[in-house]
Amino acid sequence: MYAQMVKSDVPRVKGLDEMGPEERAFQERIDAGQKIEPKEWMPEGYRKTLIRQISQHANSEIVGQLPEGNWITRAPTLERKAILLAKVQDEAGHGLYLYCAAETLGVSRDELYEQLHSGKAKYSSIFNYPTLTWADIGAIGWLVDGAAIMNQVPLQRCSYGPYSRAMIRICKEESFHQRQGYDILMKMVKGTPAQKAMVQDALNRWWWPSLMMFGPSDEASVHSAQSMAWKIKQNSNDELRQKFVDQTVPQAEYLGLTIPDPELKWNENKGGYDFGEPDWNEFFEVIAGNGPCNAERLGARRKAWEDGVWFRDGLTAHAEKVSARSAAAAE
Amino acid sequence: MEAETTTEAAIDRAALFEFLLRMGDNTLMLGHRVSEWCGHAPALEEDIALANTALDLIGQTQLWLGLAGEVEDKGRSADDLAYLRDVYEFRNLLLTERPNGDFGKTLMRQFLFDAWHYLRLQTLLSSTDRRIAEIAEKASKEVSYHLERSRDLVIRLGDGTAESHARMQQALDDLWPYTGEMFMTEAADTALSAAGVAPEPQSLKAEWDELVAETLSEATLRKPTDGYMHGGGRRGMHSEHLGFVLAEMQFLQRAYPGATW
């Protein structure tokens, strides 16, 4: 999942005894682990929170095509090119499932695009970082898709049926993406010194932004507490970040790489790693639009949409002509 | 071990190698051009379809250039052929290296090529070289889908709004002078045809004309008259565009010679 800091519109999480009968019945179904389906009653806050989260996730898949897409034409072998094409195609497909899931909540794909293009809706901060070398394609698969999987696996159990089902399909494909990323890096670290240096450089640049993907600590966040009560979110940001670090450090060691964090140290007592704090100022700047690639990414998406107006209008006009002709023929 | 084919005895290796490069370089160049759209298409469904088309074309490239390397028998792999040749050694049609232009031009280029590609592969199904027939069989399944899609979009956009019509007509007029090359006879074509490997390019023209004319008519587009036609790609005489494609595509292999990826 690529959703960060999704707001829930609630001042605080209500207890069951403060709810009206409908809301109470709804909450009890969620507590019992039942899925909520599109036509069923749901609190407005639940609907809006889900739309924000799913659209942020869908937007991330779409914007996420760009940093990797710019290496398809430069992939070093035909096989790597084919694998990367397949991966980016999957991401567009994930965007499609997710926009469809959001549509079941009463919002159209065009509206969601409009919110993305106007800057109202967000996408993951990670895609505002540049892909400078081929090792970045490996690092994205390994770290970015790895962090995404960490978030997405619990979302397969999300209370909202269409989102949960979309996540089940997406998770299957994401694990292939992560493996292909790690495979690129395995090949490179066994290669020439220049290739090894390229991999270390990629890790240096992607490590901290990957940790930021989980968002700042949300132990005190009312939005996270509400999302957890609604089972839209299952784990805190810190829990997931810890899990990610614990999983990734041994993989980096296996590749013979150094994690760029002097504070990183195994902590026997907690059975996990201690690690440094990401630079949250940088994170907030990126979210605010000041990351290295924000302008290019959003600009590319807007341009694709605006340049495509004639194409979409042409298809619509043709469909109208065809239905007018068949109506005329039927008369 | 492959059974000895009748062709190998009947035709010289150089002609066969040449033919395989033409097939593989076409799919490599067009696959490259199509993949440039990744993330920039006018609709999400188009992003998916274009990535899928590029993926098919790159997969076909692996087969054609892989076989080219075998036939040449100098130890060059499909990757060596794709990444370590210079402009004058490429044998693709000029049409496939034309820049993308707007989405209409990309679709028109695809349609004009798909119509030829489909017919070419149909003729190769009965090639006397079994290895060629096998690749053609696999590729023609994919290409019949490419043709169905590009043909459908050309019709819908030609017969859409005034603007979409004008853009498609402009794309057609601009690309038309690059279509004649598909049917020009070059060195080796006669020998390939005589050996039953691949019929002469000219033999595809009537069917291609018919398929294209019927589609353009349904699209309400005017078929340009056959004037001067550019050629030379199949002999290694390319446009300036190809050098930039190679500079981008071959960057890593050239910058880090001998590295494995």
Side-chain angles (χ1 to χ4, degrees):
Chain A
M1 186 202 58
Y2 299 110
Q4 294 160 326
M5 304 178 67
V6 177
K7 294 218 167 80
S8 65
D9 283 346
V10 298
R12 63 184 182 82
V13 181
K14 282 192 241 174
L16 280 177
D17 53 351
E18 298 169 272
M19 295 174 183
E22 265 180 329
E23 188 173 358
R24 189 181 169 134
F26 171 86
Q27 188 62 52
E28 282 170 349
R29 287 184 56 204
I30 287 188
D31 294 343
Q34 292 177 21
K35 294 276 181 252
I36 306 301
E37 295 300 333
K39 296 268 157 62
E40 295 170 347
W41 185 89
M42 61 186 77
E44 193 52 19
Y46 177 83
R47 196 180 70 85
K48 282 191 176 158
T49 304
L50 269 171
I51 290 176
R52 279 193 202 114
Q53 176 160 331
I54 298 173
S55 77
Q56 210 183 98
H57 187 172
N59 293 339
S60 300
E61 298 280 1
I62 300 313
V63 177
Q65 294 179 94
L66 298 169
E68 292 184 284
N70 86 48
W71 275 93
I72 290 176
T73 52
R74 288 178 288 173
T77 68
L78 294 170
E79 191 187 359
R80 291 287 178 207
K81 193 190 285 286
I83 293 170
L84 187 56
L85 271 164
K87 177 179 190 244
V88 176
Q89 186 190 7
D90 281 351
E91 276 150 17
H94 296 173
L96 196 58
Y97 310 153
L98 289 162
Y99 286 123
C100 291
E103 281 179 323
T104 65
L105 292 158
V107 61
S108 72
R109 205 202 302 180
D110 284 4
E111 286 172 80
L112 296 175
Y113 277 158
E114 171 55 36
Q115 290 171 9
L116 171 67
H117 298 153
S118 71
K120 189 178 167 225
K122 300 291 181 201
Y123 57 89
S124 177
S125 56
I126 196 76
F127 298 119
N128 291 312
Y129 290 88
T131 48
L132 302 179
T133 71
W134 176 249
D136 289 21
I137 300 305
I140 288 185
W142 174 37
L143 300 173
V144 175
D145 294 321
I149 293 169
M150 206 51 90
N151 250 313
Q152 284 166 347
V153 166
L155 278 174
Q156 297 179 94
R157 302 190 310 271
C158 168
S159 62
Y160 188 57
Y163 192 30
S164 148
R165 290 187 288 272
M167 290 320 305
I168 291 169
R169 286 185 70 169
I170 289 173
C171 278
K172 283 188 192 143
E173 293 175 349
E174 290 290 357
S175 51
F176 146 71
H177 296 173
Q178 195 193 14
R179 276 199 305 277
Q180 70 82 34
Y182 198 71
D183 186 60
I184 286 174
L185 300 179
M186 284 279 283
K187 203 64 177 256
M188 290 180 74
V189 297
K190 288 185 194 152
T192 66
Q195 285 176 298
K196 230 176 282 181
M198 217 187 280
V199 176
Q200 182 63 54
D201 168 71
L203 175 60
N204 294 348
R205 283 180 291 109
W206 288 94
W207 175 253
W208 293 110
S210 300
L211 294 194
M212 292 176 200
M213 282 179 70
F214 299 95
S217 179
D218 60 350
E219 302 295 346
S221 161
V222 65
H223 303 302
S224 291
Q226 180 61 72
S227 284
M228 283 190 189
W230 279 332
K231 293 195 182 158
I232 292 173
K233 187 178 167 77
Q234 319 266 351
N235 308 83
S236 77
N237 295 348
D238 289 331
E239 276 167 15
L240 293 170
R241 188 169 14 249
Q242 179 70 53
K243 245 178 124 175
F244 175 74
V245 171
D246 292 344
Q247 175 189 285
T248 308
V249 172
Q251 295 170 348
E253 283 167 0
Y254 188 75
L255 291 171
L257 300 174
T258 308
I259 303 255
D261 178 0
E263 294 175 49
L264 186 81
K265 209 173 131 218
W266 177 254
N267 179 333
E268 195 61 51
N269 291 333
K270 77 173 182 189
Y273 286 90
D274 290 332
F275 53 94
E277 195 68 27
D279 178 356
W280 293 111
N281 289 329
E282 175 182 317
F283 173 79
F284 287 111
E285 286 296 344
V286 173
I287 293 275
N290 299 321
C293 296
N294 293 59
E296 282 96 331
R297 300 289 187 247
L298 203 50
R301 289 310 307 169
R302 283 189 191 126
K303 183 173 188 306
W305 188 247
E306 285 159 14
D307 288 354
V309 171
W310 73 270
F311 170 84
R312 297 186 301 274
D313 288 351
L315 296 187
T316 308
H318 181 77
E320 283 163 3
K321 284 184 191 177
V322 168
S323 71
R325 278 174 211 152
S326 63
E331 272 172 20
Chain B
M1 201 47 210
E2 288 279 334
E4 180 81 0
T5 57
T6 51
T7 323
E8 275 179 299
I11 192 165
D12 74 83
R13 241 170 236 284
L16 195 53
F17 178 62
E18 193 72 14
F19 174 76
L20 294 166
L21 288 185
R22 289 172 187 168
M23 295 304 291
D25 289 348
N26 280 336
T27 51
L28 178 59
M29 278 314 128
L30 191 61
H32 181 97
R33 285 298 191 203
V34 172
S35 73
E36 289 175 346
W37 275 100
C38 180
H40 304 277
L44 189 45
E45 286 78 357
E46 293 305 313
D47 269 321
I48 296 173
L50 290 175
N52 195 50
T53 303
L55 186 54
D56 288 345
L57 292 170
I58 297 304
Q60 293 167 19
T61 304
Q62 290 177 285
L63 299 174
W64 290 123
L65 294 186
L67 182 54
E70 269 178 50
V71 165
E72 187 196 34
D73 201 22
K74 288 185 183 164
R76 290 203 282 183
S77 65
D79 282 339
D80 293 336
L81 290 169
Y83 288 93
L84 300 175
R85 279 180 299 153
D86 207 338
V87 167
Y88 67 94
E89 298 169 282
F90 274 80
R91 294 291 180 264
N92 58 286
L93 296 163
L94 297 177
L95 179 68
T96 61
E97 71 195 48
R98 297 306 299 158
N100 286 337
D102 69 2
F103 201 66
K105 195 177 243 182
T106 291
L107 286 173
M108 186 57 80
R109 181 187 60 198
Q110 188 74 40
F111 167 67
L112 296 169
F113 178 79
D114 288 344
W116 172 84
H117 197 199
Y118 175 77
L119 295 171
R120 178 37 109 196
L121 293 170
Q122 291 302 306
T123 66
L124 296 181
L125 294 174
S126 51
S127 172
T128 49
D129 189 315
R130 212 190 60 214
R131 300 164 302 179
I132 289 178
E134 279 171 4
I135 297 175
E137 192 179 347
K138 183 184 180 297
S140 67
K141 287 182 192 132
E142 295 165 349
V143 171
S144 68
Y145 169 72
H146 298 174
L147 176 59
E148 189 184 317
R149 174 177 169 275
S150 62
R151 184 179 175 279
D152 177 58
L153 284 169
V154 164
I155 291 169
R156 287 156 73 192
L157 294 166
D159 185 22
T161 60
E163 184 182 0
S164 72
H165 177 87
R167 282 177 184 262
M168 296 313 281
Q169 186 67 54
Q170 186 66 52
L172 179 62
D173 294 346
D174 289 350
L175 293 170
W176 195 255
Y178 295 94
T179 57
E181 190 185 8
M182 301 191 282
F183 311 105
M184 289 177 189
T185 298
E186 299 286 358
D189 283 330
T190 311
L192 288 161
S193 172
V197 175
E200 290 217 38
Q202 182 62 32
S203 68
L204 304 171
K205 178 99 168 57
E207 254 189 290
W208 184 86
D209 275 339
E210 194 183 331
L211 176 57
V212 169
E214 177 247 331
T215 303
L216 295 180
S217 148
E218 208 178 325
T220 71
L221 294 170
R222 189 189 65 256
K223 187 182 169 187
T225 46
D226 283 349
Y228 179 76
M229 291 289 175
H230 297 281
R234 295 164 72 239
R235 275 179 279 125
M237 308 271 287
H238 291 274
S239 65
E240 289 182 348
H241 301 292
L242 183 60
F244 292 96
V245 168
L246 297 186
E248 186 172 346
M249 185 176 86
Q250 298 180 338
F251 157 64
L252 283 166
Q253 290 285 355
R254 299 295 193 179
Y256 300 93
T260 53
W261 304 92

